[in-house]
Amino acid sequence: MEPSTVAVVGGGAIGVTATAELATRGTDVTLYERGSLAAGSSGRAAGVCYDAFGDRTDARIGTRSLERFRELPDVFTELPYVWLAQSGDEKRADAIRKQSTRMRELGLDVALVDPDDLQDRFPGLVTDDVAVAAIARGAGYAETEEYVEAMAERAAQNGASLRTETAVTIATDPLQVVSEDGKRSFDAVLVAGGAHSKRILDTAGVSIPMKPYRVQALVTETTPNSETVPMCYDATGNYYFRPHTGGLLVGDGTERVESDPEHWKRDADDEFVHQTRKRIAERVRQDEIGVREAWAGLCTATPDGDPLVGEIRSGLFIATGFHGHGFMRAPALGERITDEILGDDGIRRFDPTRFDGNETFEIVAGMDIE
Ligand SMILES: Cc1cc2nc3c(=O)[nH]c(=O)nc-3n(C[C@H](O)[C@H](O)[C@H](O)COP(=O)(O)OP(=O)(O)OC[C@H]3O[C@@H](n4cnc5c(N)ncnc54)[C@H](O)[C@@H]3O)c2cc1C
C-alpha cells in the first residue's frame, strides 16, 4: 500500500530532493535536519556534475540528473568535463581510452582529444604533459547550497514540513522518528543522513557497510585563466577543478581511512593546500596561486563502490554511500527513491540488502582510475 506519511532524515541534496519529489506527488512528508539545510557534505561539495559513466545505470542517472539541473538555470552552469592522463601514465591513459569508447556506446556525448586539440578548445589549460584526454559535453556545475535551497523551496511550496535544528533517531516496530519532541509514527522513513547514516540506522538496530572518509577542497584567488578552462580531473595528479567566481575550486586530498562523522578535522591540511597550489600553477600556467579558502568534508564509501539506495527493512529506506558522486546524482536518485517509496521497484544494483552490514572493506575513492 502506498504510504501516506513519510519522514525524510537529512537536509542535504538527497534528502531535500526526495522531500520535494514526495511533496510534489501529494505525499504528506516531513523532513528532519539536525542543523541547517545543506549543513553536511552537500554544503561543502564542489558541485561538479556529469553523465560520463561507463555503466548504463550510472549513465542514465547522470543524464537524468543533468536534465533536472538544467531546469534550474540560476543554479546550474553548463561546462564540458575533461579528464586526462599525463604522459608516462599508460595505465590511466589506456583506461581513459576504454572508458570513452564505452561511454560513446552508451550514447553519451564523449570524445577523445589529443593535447593540441585540448589546447585549442581551452587556451587556459597547460596540455604539454597530457598523454590523452576525454571530454564529456553532458556536464556542468551547480552551486550546491543554492540547489538545496531551491529544492527546499519546492518542497515547502508543495506542502512539505521542514524541521531544521531537529536531530532524530529511528525506532522500528512500529516505525517511528524520535526527536526531543517525542516519537512520531510514519508509514515510511527515508534515512539520507550522509556520513551519519550508519549511526542513525544503528539506533534502529540496522547495520550498513558504509565508511565516511575525508576529502578536501580550496578556492583560489582570482585566476586569469579561469574562464578558459573546462572542469577538469587530472587522473595522474589525482585532483580536479572547475571555475569558481573568478578563481578555481580545486579538490581532492582524499584520506582513504574511516573518519568519525562527529569528530573530524574540518579545515584543510597545509600539505593539501601546498600541493594543490603547485599543481594548479603548473596546469594553468600562473606563477603564484593565492588561496581564498580551504576546507575538508566527508564522503561515504561502500564495499563495492555502489551506493546503498532502497528499502532495507519494511518501510525503512536509505540513500547513502555515494563515493563523492552524491550531489551530481541527487536529482535523479531523489526521483528514483521516491518511486520506490511509493511502490515501484528500486534500482537493483543499489539495493542495500545486497550486504549483511558487517562486511570489512577498503575505502576506494570514486574518481580513482586504477
Ligand atoms: C569537498 C567535497 C567535494 C565534493 N564534490 C562533489 C562534486 O563535485 N560532485 C558530487 O556529486 N559530489 C561531491 N561531493 C560529495 C557530495 O557532497 C555528497 O555525495 C552529497 O552531498 C551527499 O548528499 P547527502 O544528502 O547524502 O548528504 P549530506 O549533504 O551530508 O546531508 C545529510 C544531512 O543529514 C543531516 N543529519 C545527520 N544526522 C542527522 C540526524 N540524526 N537527524 C537529522 N539530520 C541529520 C546532516 O546534518 C546533513 O545535513 C563532494 C564532497 C566533498 C566533501
Side-chain angles (χ1 to χ4, degrees):
M1 208 176 60
E2 200 171 284
S4 49
T5 56
V6 177
V8 174
V9 181
I14 298 285
V16 288
T17 309
T19 304
E21 278 300 314
L22 285 158
T24 308
R25 298 189 207 180
T27 307
D28 177 351
V29 53
T30 305
L31 173 89
Y32 294 95
E33 163 55 51
R34 72 178 205 164
S36 51
L37 297 175
S41 301
S42 298
R44 294 174 169 260
V48 171
C49 305
Y50 50 73
D51 62 9
F53 292 96
D55 169 86
R56 189 177 299 280
T57 301
D58 292 331
R60 279 192 183 143
I61 291 167
T63 304
R64 178 62 185 151
S65 282
L66 288 170
E67 281 172 10
R68 300 294 321 245
F69 278 124
R70 288 187 185 111
E71 292 167 10
L72 302 167
D74 293 344
V75 169
F76 182 71
T77 306
E78 301 267 357
L79 190 68
Y81 171 70
V82 166
W83 67 115
L84 61 86
Q86 295 174 16
S87 305
D89 186 357
E90 257 323 297
K91 195 175 76 174
R92 290 187 184 81
D94 197 40
I96 291 173
R97 285 186 199 99
K98 287 187 179 133
Q99 285 175 337
S100 68
T101 304
R102 172 80 186 128
M103 289 171 196
R104 274 194 302 281
E105 285 166 5
L106 291 173
L108 301 175
D109 187 356
V110 170
L112 266 189
V113 280
D114 63 32
D116 291 342
D117 213 2
L118 193 59
Q119 178 76 90
D120 287 348
R121 287 174 203 229
F122 304 106
L125 210 59
V126 172
T127 64
D128 312 348
D129 62 341
V130 173
V132 67
I135 175 166
R137 274 170 289 254
Y141 58 88
E143 300 309 330
T144 60
E145 289 182 60
E146 289 169 25
Y147 173 80
V148 169
E149 224 170 84
M151 286 302 111
E153 212 175 289
R154 186 178 294 175
Q157 276 164 0
N158 285 283
S161 164
L162 307 178
R163 303 213 30 206
T164 53
E165 311 299 334
T166 309
V168 300
T169 57
I170 308 296
T172 47
D173 297 326
L175 193 54
Q176 290 179 320
V177 168
V178 185
S179 71
E180 268 181 13
D181 301 339
K183 294 181 176 177
R184 186 172 159 198
S185 296
F186 288 91
D187 297 334
V189 174
L190 168 64
V191 175
H196 296 267
S197 299
K198 187 175 172 60
R199 299 244 170 124
I200 297 168
L201 288 157
D202 280 346
T203 66
V206 174
S207 181
I208 57 165
M210 186 278 274
K211 292 182 183 174
Y213 63 96
R214 189 168 164 268
V215 300
Q216 302 173 69
L218 60 77
V219 171
T220 68
E221 299 280 5
T222 306
T223 305
N225 292 332
S226 71
E227 297 308 315
T228 53
V229 296
M231 297 193 296
C232 184
Y233 171 54
D234 179 335
T236 307
N238 198 20
Y239 64 94
Y240 64 88
F241 58 89
R242 61 121 164 137
H244 184 283
T245 54
L248 296 170
L249 194 167
V250 194
D252 212 73
T254 302
E255 274 183 2
R256 289 169 182 74
V257 291
E258 185 168 1
S259 285
D260 180 329
E262 294 293 347
H263 306 286
W264 51 281
K265 188 181 165 206
R266 279 147 173 91
D267 294 332
D269 302 339
D270 292 344
E271 179 58 20
F272 163 75
V273 174
H274 172 73
Q275 280 290 343
T276 305
R277 289 177 66 189
K278 201 162 142 262
R279 285 177 173 143
I280 288 297
E282 287 166 8
R283 185 58 69 211
V284 299
R285 202 174 279 120
Q286 193 179 328
D287 293 341
E288 190 58 27
I289 296 287
V291 172
R292 211 180 293 163
E293 54 174 329
W295 66 94
L298 296 179
C299 289
T300 51
T302 66
D304 60 3
D306 279 334
L308 307 168
V309 179
E311 189 170 20
I312 192 155
R313 295 280 188 285
S314 181
L316 180 59
F317 296 79
I318 65 170
T320 186
F322 297 112
H323 284 263
H325 289 78
F327 180 78
M328 69 176 80
R329 296 194 272 186
L333 289 180
E335 282 181 338
R336 293 299 297 271
I337 195 70
T338 297
D339 292 342
E340 192 176 346
I341 292 169
L342 298 182
D344 277 7
D345 289 340
I347 301 170
R348 191 170 330 146
R349 228 183 72 211
F350 297 172
D351 182 350
T353 63
R354 69 189 184 277
F355 297 115
D356 65 22
N358 302 314
E359 288 76 5
T360 52
F361 64 96
E362 299 290 318
I363 293 169
V364 176
M367 282 181 127
D368 287 355
I369 299 179
E370 296 299 342

